[in-house]
Structures are given as C-alpha cells and as structure tokens.
Amino acid sequence: MSAEAVLDVDRADLAHPWPAPARRSRLAVSGRAIWVVLKREGIRFAADRLRVVTGLLQPILFLFVLGSGLGTLVKFGPHLNLRTFLYPGAAAMSVLFTALFSAGSVVWDREFGFLREMLVAPVSRTSLVVGKCLGGALVASTQGVLMIAIAGLANVPYDGVLMLTIFGELLLLALAVVSFGMLVAARIQQFQSFMAVTQMLVMPLFFLSGAMYPLSNLPAWMRVLTRIDPLTYAVDPIRRAVFEHLQVPPALRARLVPGISWDGWHVPLGLEIGVVAVMAALFMAIAALEFRKVD
Amino acid sequence: MPAAVSVRGLVKRYGEVEAVRGVEFDVAQGETFGFLGPNGAGKSTTIGMLCTLVRPSAGSATVAGYDVVRDRDDVRRSIGLVFQDPTLDSYLTAEQNLRFHAELYGVPRSAVARRLDQVLELVGLSDRRHDEVRGFSGGMKRRLEIARGLLHAPVVLFLDEPTVGLDPQTRRSIWAYIKSLQQAERTTIFMTTHYMDEAEYCDRIAIIDQGRIVALDTPEALKASIGEDRVEIRTDDDLAAIAALEERFGLKASTHEGLVSFSVANGAEFVPRLFAGLQVPIRSVAVSRPSLDDVFLSYTGRTIREAESAAPNEWMRRMAQRGMRR
Ligand SMILES: Nc1ncnc2c1ncn2[C@@H]1O[C@H](COP(=O)(O)OP(=O)(O)O)[C@@H](O)[C@H]1O
Ligand SMILES: [Mg+2]
C-alpha cells in the first residue's frame, strides 16, 4: 500500500497538515472537551438499550408491587391511592440508580484503559469531570422522562407545567448524584467495588429520604436523620409539585406533604432546591479536585 | 534542525527502586529511535517522563522543544501516544474513537474529516471505520491506536511496545504500517521493544538495561562493533577447503553439520574474493551478521533472555503495581 499517495501533505518542513490555529482560549478548549465527553456518554447510552430497561425495572416494581401491595393496608380515602404518593420517590429512585451507573462507567473506563486516553489529553481535568457529570446527568434524566411518561399509571395528571417541573428537579438530582458518584469513582479501581461502595452509601440515603413515607410524625431520631439526608431535599419538591396538581383534602395533604422543617422553621421550596444545587456543585468541585490527582 | 527529543541526566526513583538512572540522548527530527531492553529495564518509565505522565526525579528533557515538566500541555499537544496496554473505547466505532480524540486534541473542525480519511487509509482500516472496536483483532486495535496517535499530526509519536502480545505475522504488518507512515508523515518515532528483531526497524537504537543506556548507535554499527560476520559454505571437498582457507586467507575454519564455517570481518565483501581465490568448487554460500542478541550479550554480559528471567516477570510486577496504587 502506498501511504504517500494517500497523504498529499508535505511534512518535510514539519508544518502541520492544517494551518496552525491561533492559540485557542482555555475556555474554547475546555468547552470542546466538555462537549465531546458529554456526547460520548450519549452515544454509549443510546447503544445500550438493556440499561434503559433495567433502570426502569426497579422503580416500576417499587411503584406497582409495593404501591399496590401495601395499598391494601394503607387507605387514604377516595381521593388518593398509595401509588400516587410513592410516585415521586420512584421517579427519584430511577434517576438515582441510572446516575450512579453513569458515574460508575468511569471506573469501567479505567479498567479498560480508555480513561488514560482522556487523562493524557491536553485539556483540563475539570473539563473532563464536568463533561462526564453533565453527560451522566442528561442520560439519567432521560430515565426521568420515561418515568414522567408513565405518570398516568400512578394517577399523576399529565400537566405541562407539572411535567416540566418534575423533569427539572430530576435533572438537578441526577447532576448531584453523578457528581457524588464521580468523586467516589476517582479513588476506585474496580467496578464491583464501586457498586458495593455506592450501594452501601445510597441505600440508607434512599430509605431516609422520605421517598417511601411522609415526613410527619416520625420518631425523633428519624426526624433528625431525614433532615440530614440530602436526598430528602430532592424528593420533597417533587412531591410538593405532584400534590399541587391533585384534588386532595387539605388535612390529608398536610399530613402527607408536611414539607421539611428545621427545628420548627419551615424550609421554603427555593431553599430545598438550593440544598440540592449546592450539593451538586460541591460534589462536582471535589470530584474535579480528586481527578487532578489521578494518574 | 533542533532535536525532536533531547534528554539530559534523566532519573526516576520509586522509593528504593531506581527505575531510570541518568539517561542521555537526542532524537533527530524524522528519526525512528528505539529503546531496546528486557522487561523492567525502565523503558516505559522513560516514555512516561517524556510524555509528562511521570515526573522525573532528576534531570531534564525536552520534546518538540518544550520542557516536559514546565510546558506539560504544549508537550502533550505535540506528541502522539500508543501505550503498552490498549486505551480504546471498544463500544464505540473506529471512527467515533478517532473523532473523540480529534476533539480533545483540538484538531480544527474543518480538517477533521479529511484527516480521519488519511489516517484510516494509512493503517488500512477505512472499510471498518463504522464497526465497533470490540469486534477487532488485536492487530487491528493496535493499528487503530496508531492511527489515533497520528491524528493530531504530532511532532513525535511514542510507541511503547507496539507489537507486544501479537503474533509474528501481525507484528510484521504493524511494522510495515509504522514504516510507511514514517515515510509519509516524516513523523519522529520513539518506540520501545524487547524483541531483538524489531530493533532492526529503527534508524538508531539505545540498548537499555537496569535503567542505564549501555550502547547507542545504528543497528549496523552496533553489530559491527562486536565483531565479525559468520560465513558458511558448502563445498565438494571440505578438508581441501579448510586447508585452502588457512593457506590463502589465513582463516581458521571448521566443519559443522556438513558445512564449512568461519568468521571474517566483512562477509559480504569477502565472498567475491573467496570465489576467486579458493580452488575448491563451492556449491553454496551463506553470510550472517551478528544478531542484536549478540550485541546485548556483549554489552551486558548476559543474553536478553537471561535478563528477562532475572527480572520479576511482567505478570507479578503488574499485580504488585495494582496493589500499590491505592
Ligand atoms: N509506579 C511504579 N512504582 C514502583 N515501581 C515502578 C513503577 N513503575 C515502574 N516501576 C519499576 O521500575 C522499573 C522499570 O519499569 P518499566 O519502566 O515499566 O520497565 P520496562 O517498560 O522496560 O519493562 C521496574 O523495576 C518496575 O518494577
Ligand atoms: Mg514497559
């Protein structure tokens, strides 16, 4: 094979095959890196249909099996069934696991060597981490879109504003979870270890988040723990939004969606969302620092 | 022309272990330069320092004119890398892997499509560009990695044991690709190997053992430096031939499995004189050069195989490294 015929570029003078670009700004370099890392997450996800299915399975089990099974014990009267109450928790769960898995893929990348290709590139580690977090969050929130699509099965109304609100809140949750997963992944060599560590951390967080029960009338120790759990601040806004769009007697609503209070002070919605946003930013910043040390 | 790679007193210590103990060399632009040495000699560590992945303990090095410690990003932009272990995303297609690389290395968007065609053609993978990499053979993956290493038109392409683990035929074809791209792109190539026969593809080689360069020259000069060629002839009358060699040329010959063999300084030039001067009919002649195995032996006092078995084997070393990395 004649290679010369293919390459009509003359590099005798070691000139580049394209005119040397003016020194690009750091921002442009980072932007391009973020975008391509994000895009790869999308390509990988689109090719992996199995993941979409398995990501939906758990929340659907949770919603319909648990919801219908326990529904025989728990009666809210004619206006509401348990599935509707559990829906926000199920949606959060679906996004949670997909987001963790997305973050875990960086450990796969390490095991299969591809991480090296990213780490040696002349781009900042921060841009790689941001790209991975944004990509993972977008992938995880497509799972959220599927959950929104099946909302009707839980008697949650298809209301445009409600759907957008839920999507936005799930996206933010996904970003926080992926970032958290990334900071864990920075120090882990094997995928199994990553899964073991994150399951160990996430299961208690999920059970304490109020995804499965109202935050009112809890024993004191649980009251404290639910307030500490960041996930609580992601589930509550979704439940608030859902109940805004339901016809439920005020007394029942007050019992089921009491909101979060800190020592008697009622936390406003904006602050709840703020807590999740701050978590996302904090985790991402720590993850970026951690990846700077990785070699 | 400034050197593509310039290394002065480079040292790397890992705790007690001195992996690289003060190496010095220059690689000219357009040269194919090889590091030849057994496992554990310090080849990967040296490449790691030149590629800014490993911080030198002492000494200095420049690549494409940039200092490997001070100008890390400039060095990284100027080099292509093919690691000892694969670094492809096997769930992406060949083209997707290359596009990913083009973005990270800032290849101008307008140049990407053409450049992709060029490098894929160069490594003979044009017809597989839309296939997922996990279906590729070991040799194809290697070729794709070489294509990717070249994609951003680096000044120096580093190849760390590019053919390790491949069968001999694939190894040869990989080398054919490397040589053809070297001619086409005039890229400087810095490669390592522990296969003696592969060092022959280099313009110059440094023989490295236990972190030190023990010899550095062209393969020809290295072999010439250790002595004479071996000539084997088949004759109708071996005893007469031996006597005639002794008498006319002053050479000591011996018979061995039906061949008369002897050593002489420059075998190829000696053969015509042999035909003219030896009265005994000659039926065949074979001249063989000393191998790089002989070169390694003469500089280190042991064969490369002995050196390999003295070092802890590759597998054990990797397990140990895994354990050490947190
Ligand atoms: N990260 C590391 N930590 C400790 N020792 C190392 C590390 N990397 C390499 N070494 C040691 O340095 C020496 C040279 O290794 P290396 O450069 O990989 O050799 P080669 O590539 O020639 O086989 C070996 O003794 C190896 O065990
Ligand atoms: Mg090596």
Side-chain angles (χ1 to χ4, degrees), chain B residues 14 17 19 38-45 84 161 314 317 321 324:
Chain B
Y14 290 110
V17 184
N39 272 326
K43 304 184 296 295
S44 296
T45 307
Q84 199 170 333
E161 311 230 8
E314 184 79 353
R317 217 188 80 228
Q321 272 181 10
M324 268 184 292

